[in-house]
Amino acid sequence: MGKSLTRKILEEHLVTGEYVPGNEISIKIDQTLTQDATGTMAYLQFEAMGLKQVKTGLSVSYVDHNTIQVGFENADDHKYLQTVAAKYGIVYSKAGNGICHQVHLERFGKPGKTLLGSDSHTTTGGGIGMIAIGAGGLDVAVAMGGGEFYLTCPKVYKINLKGRLQPWVSAKDVVLKMLEIFTVKGNVGVIIEYAGTGVKNLTVPERATITNMGAEMGVTTSIFPSDEETKKFLKAQGREADWVEQKADDDAEYDKIVDLDLSTLEPLAAAPHSPGNIVKVSDMKDLKVDQIMLGSCTNSSYREIATAAKIMKGKKVHPDVSFGVAPGSRQVLQMATRDGYISDLLDSGARLLEAACGFCIGNSQSPRSIGVSLRTSNRNFEGRSGTADAQVYLVSPEVAAVSAITGKLTDPRKTGIEYPKVSMPIKFLVDDSMFIFPKDADKNVEIFRGPNIGAPPVNDKMPDQIKGIVGIKVGDKITTDHIMPAGARLKYRSNVPEYSKYVFEPIDKLFPTRAMEAKKKGLHTIIVAGESYGQGSSREHAALCPMYLGVKAVIAKSVERIHAANLLNFGIISLSFKNMADYDKIAQGDEIEIPDLKKKLQNNEPVFLVDKTNNLKIELTYNLSQRQKDILFEGGLLPYTVKK
Ligand code: MIC
Ligand code: SF4
């Protein structure tokens, strides 16, 4: 039997473990990326490892999230990142150069290589034939130090694409369809591989839109083959030499095969408040819209901005709509300016925003109260836009632009507007002057540390037993945006004591105070959660800040992949219920104990939670390798790595 493309690349990078789905394996990482919101902590952790240089083939530090810079904190972080990059041999991409995933695809992504990024949408790199995985900053720091990356050897699903997208239907609709089929939960430990005759009908940026939102499905990553289309893209970026063919064997084995005919798809939207809440745009006829945002790492390539501009040319934005456009990179912005598209958009009444994450992370452009916002981004979690009761729909750039004219969520196929055809550029405008490439002479640069930058707190060793309280009980699908809000709070990323004051802010503002009080009394705090706990971003602060507050365990029906790894990295054990119905028996505030936890893990024995308030004994399960247990015993990956 032949091999999938995933298997070929993983086997080529395999360091430890055997390629058997479900096994823990580790792989060598060729490239890393960080962004400023997760980057400072990642580099502080890298510094704590005491190495002289990064050991990867390429590491890039992007500044794209906190570019609004209200107050000194973000500017301090950027300066810190720039000096660290110079000292340790990292490429630094300045604010204004664009969103990490878009820029990485344009300038650095290489078929057949592995990429680890401290951002969940690192999966975008799958569009160019990489195994590109999102992880917590600490995992990325370890990879920069030359350490391998541990993951569950995946099951591989093949999506057999055929046909071609109809006019007005786009790559966003493909991935929204995928979300309808696979939903946002239950796909942990899976890699999705796109194949079939339809692949050649999708350009690299379109493929990247599809792999980008694999993150929302909770898969480890998604990948496209590297073919003639990939070669064309790389050639147009002046990087033809980086191209190699990458494909699965014809008789490759898969754990599941799903056929998807591109020609049968239609415009879709993800309705509030989940990327998996898929509706047909044609069913949403009279939904009035207040705001439309085109951009984010999902949909901000040259072709998409040009398509929107062609739709808007000679027309006006509806008086009740605020239409913002954020090109994905400086390259996109420069080319769209040169080709007149930005001026067409401005003529129509669109607002030009910076080439950065911006609205997507909720640090600007929050909609009005109960406002309806159409966004081409990838997440519409409740409150993420910065307005608690806003109704955010995720749509394609085509639907966004047409709706900006009509003022309603509109199916573009029925408007009579001519479908704009935009072809891929033969040559992109290449100007790498906003990267700062590391030079030998900079190795002795002094690292800048503003008052916002604090050393990362390190955990104590795991206690023999857990004794304390249920600090909070939450339901299903709690995202990292619930645990550690971004938006205006993001600027505290480099200051854990300060950022910790906002843990669970959208759900229960008093949690940090309760946990801190317990900690002062020498009690541990545990979190009880439902299914898919920790969905969404790779934000390691969703583990780091709870750790700082004294959280020792999360007991959940299930935990999402990246968050589970982050909890482990910060010495918080994830446990599950042997009998799911036991979830209902525990309440917030219960006094609990997990006796002899350490000994039981060591001996592979069952672990019990004793709920002293309700006089109950509940059996808990865990699935940990010896390495993972050792990390927990040491109090987390940083002390474990330093010890090693
Ligand atoms: C996001 O989209 O939520 C982010 C901000 O890019 C995060 C990373 C972060 O928390 O900084 C992500 O997706 O991983
Ligand atoms: Fe930035 Fe949004 Fe992409 Fe996250 S999802 S990297 S915030 S554009």
Side-chain angles (χ1 to χ4, degrees), residues 442-579:
D442 290 340
K443 280 186 186 151
N444 298 322
V445 70
E446 200 186 321
I447 294 182
F448 174 88
R449 287 173 220 276
N452 187 44
I453 297 177
V458 181
N459 206 7
D460 302 330
K461 284 193 193 249
M462 185 183 206
D464 292 335
Q465 56 184 340
I466 291 177
K467 223 176 154 156
I469 50 157
V470 176
I472 190 167
K473 181 177 175 183
V474 293
D476 291 343
K477 293 201 238 173
I478 293 299
T479 72
T480 50
D481 281 321
H482 291 110
I483 308 170
M484 237 21 281
R489 305 290 182 221
L490 212 56
K491 66 178 181 182
Y492 299 124
R493 281 290 181 88
S494 315
N495 186 340
V496 172
E498 188 57 34
Y499 201 26
S500 296
K501 293 180 188 157
Y502 303 101
V503 176
F504 285 121
E505 187 187 25
I507 307 179
D508 179 349
K509 287 194 176 51
L510 296 179
F511 173 81
T513 322
R514 273 201 308 274
M516 256 318 186
E517 273 167 14
K519 191 176 171 182
K520 280 186 197 137
K521 289 188 206 143
L523 295 172
H524 303 135
T525 290
I526 70 161
I527 294 168
V528 173
E531 274 185 73
S532 287
Y533 181 70
Q535 273 187 21
S537 90
S538 65
R539 207 162 299 162
E540 65 185 342
H541 294 74
L544 175 55
C545 294
M547 172 200 96
Y548 177 78
L549 295 176
V551 173
K552 293 291 174 201
V554 169
I555 303 180
K557 290 186 182 169
S558 66
V559 181
E560 286 299 296
R561 173 188 68 89
I562 304 180
H563 189 58
N566 284 335
L567 288 171
L568 173 80
N569 285 353
F570 292 100
I572 299 177
I573 185 167
S574 325
L575 297 156
S576 189
F577 297 98
K578 173 111 193 269
N579 176 0

Side-chain angles (χ1 to χ4, degrees), residues 159-166 169 174 177 181 197-198 201 258-266:
I159 309 302
N160 192 24
L161 297 177
K162 60 176 190 186
R164 182 185 285 281
L165 293 170
Q166 299 285 318
V169 183
V174 178
K177 185 72 195 175
I181 300 173
T197 51
N201 300 327
V258 173
D259 292 317
L260 194 60
D261 184 347
L262 298 173
S263 63
T264 61
L265 299 180
E266 62 176 292

Side-chain angles (χ1 to χ4, degrees), residues 65 99-101 119 121 296-297 357 360-361 378 384:
H65 278 63
I99 305 173
C100 55
H101 309 303
D119 189 284
H121 292 104
S296 91
C297 57
C357 297
C360 177
I361 189 61
N378 46 42
R384 178 175 164 100

